[in-house]
Amino acid sequence: GNVGCYRCSLCDFDICLQCARRNDAATIGEDLLRTDRGVRVETSLDNSSYFLRSWKFVKSELCLLLISTGFLVCNSMTKLLLPHFQGKIIDQIVPDEDGNIDRQGFATYIKIYVVVMILQGAVSTMYSAIFTFVSRRLKFSIRNSLFKSILSQDIAFFDGTESGRLISRLTNDLDLMMSPIQSSLSSLLNNILILIGGMLMCFVKSYRLSMLAFVTVGPITYLWNLYADWSKGLAREMLAYWAEGNSIASQALSHIRTIKAFGCESRVMEKY
């Protein structure tokens, strides 16, 4: 029957007969979140759950994020003002009915344009530096929290999870997860502000042309959603292979004497 167990006298490890005969990979496979009571059921998180979890880390840096957002608003406003002053400069060099050119007005708008460009460069540098600083602090906090969570797991979790995969979670996956905060998040906010300001300017100038231009927004949004879904699946597959490669490399380096003794370097390299 199912009464009894196997015991290894070399490593002092016990396993019951029922577990020894199981072959369902979904239950006893590796890389699953397991405890001493068995496999822990993992539920998928929706967008609101992700937002609430992210807020726990972001709220400590809220002050710096607000300051950076203020610089970002100034940067977007200066970007919207630059084309306006470019048009004013062109208007000044166009001769009037008498063939005269307003040189004084041209010099004035040139000075204003240069000042606005310098201001844009200054605020752009400030918000980029603050976003970079905040992303590094968040990366430090999340890495510590993740490592603390890993250490608090039961022994069964480490029996079924390779150390290379855990190292990959602490390094590659975390860096990839935090990279949007440093680059994509600031670009997203900047583009949103420019879009809102540009829409207002378009409707002020000519609402008919604006409505005609907005016809292309629907198809672009649809194609963007298709690309986002494809990119999400590709990113998950890439991280999975990345973690598997790190696991193979970690095991190979940890048992390099065994690999050298059996002369299976080529096989390990092929698997990697």
Side-chain angles (χ1 to χ4, degrees):
N2 292 330
V3 180
C5 67
Y6 292 112
R7 180 178 181 83
C8 178
S9 59
L10 182 62
C11 61
D12 193 21
F13 185 79
D14 301 333
I15 182 172
C16 67
L17 296 179
Q18 184 177 4
C19 292
R21 295 171 181 172
R22 297 170 70 176
N23 56 5
D24 49 339
T27 306
I28 62 174
E30 296 184 351
D31 309 317
L32 297 175
L33 187 58
R34 303 195 299 177
T35 64
D36 292 337
R37 298 181 178 179
V39 178
R40 181 182 299 177
V41 179
E42 297 184 40
T43 58
S44 58
L45 298 177
D46 52 3
N47 294 331
S48 60
S49 300
Y50 275 115
F51 178 78
L52 293 176
R53 289 193 176 187
S54 302
W55 176 252
K56 295 179 182 179
F57 296 98
V58 173
K59 64 181 180 180
S60 60
E61 310 294 338
L62 185 59
C63 182
L64 290 175
L65 286 176
L66 291 177
I67 295 175
S68 179
T69 304
F71 283 117
L72 184 61
V73 172
C74 295
N75 179 67
S76 301
M77 292 179 62
T78 53
K79 281 186 177 180
L80 292 173
L81 289 175
L82 285 177
H84 172 72
F85 289 114
Q86 288 176 354
K88 291 294 184 181
I89 293 173
I90 295 175
D91 292 340
Q92 301 304 316
I93 62 177
V94 175
D96 55 10
E97 296 178 354
D98 299 330
N100 298 322
I101 298 177
D102 189 0
R103 299 182 181 273
Q104 184 178 0
F106 175 77
T108 301
Y109 282 110
I110 284 291
K111 293 178 181 179
I112 296 175
Y113 185 78
V114 171
V115 171
V116 173
M117 286 189 64
I118 295 175
L119 180 62
Q120 180 195 0
V123 296
S124 177
T125 302
M126 290 300 297
Y127 89 76
S128 298
I130 295 177
F131 265 111
T132 302
F133 178 71
V134 170
S135 65
R136 290 181 178 178
R137 292 188 58 167
L138 289 176
K139 187 185 297 183
F140 176 78
S141 301
I142 294 176
R143 180 178 283 114
N144 290 340
S145 178
L146 177 59
F147 187 64
K148 180 180 179 181
S149 178
I150 291 175
L151 293 179
S152 64
Q153 300 299 320
D154 297 331
I155 297 298
F157 171 77
F158 298 98
D159 292 337
T161 306
E162 299 169 349
S163 59
R165 293 181 179 273
L166 297 178
I167 295 175
S168 179
R169 297 293 181 263
L170 288 169
T171 55
N172 301 327
D173 295 2
L174 185 60
D175 292 338
L176 188 61
M177 182 189 71
M178 296 302 298
S179 60
I181 297 180
Q182 183 175 349
S183 57
S184 302
L185 180 60
S186 58
S187 300
L188 175 63
L189 295 176
N190 189 23
N191 292 332
I192 290 176
L193 293 174
I194 293 178
L195 176 63
I196 296 175
M199 288 175 60
L200 293 177
M201 293 180 62
C202 289
F203 276 102
V204 170
K205 295 296 183 180
S206 175
Y207 74 92
R208 293 184 178 89
L209 291 177
S210 301
M211 295 302 297
L212 181 61
F214 290 155
V215 175
T216 60
V217 174
I220 293 176
T221 304
Y222 175 75
L223 294 176
W224 179 258
N225 289 332
L226 293 179
Y227 170 76
D229 294 337
W230 174 79
S231 178
K232 185 186 299 183
L234 184 63
R236 290 180 178 177
E237 185 177 357
M238 180 186 67
L239 290 176
Y241 283 114
W242 207 340
E244 185 177 357
N246 285 341
S247 177
I248 296 172
S250 177
Q251 291 183 11
L253 294 176
S254 300
H255 304 87
I256 188 63
R257 292 182 180 274
T258 305
I259 295 175
K260 290 291 186 180
F262 286 92
C264 54
E265 294 91 341
S266 58
R267 184 175 181 180
V268 174
M269 187 61 197
E270 182 181 357
K271 186 178 180 181
Y272 179 78

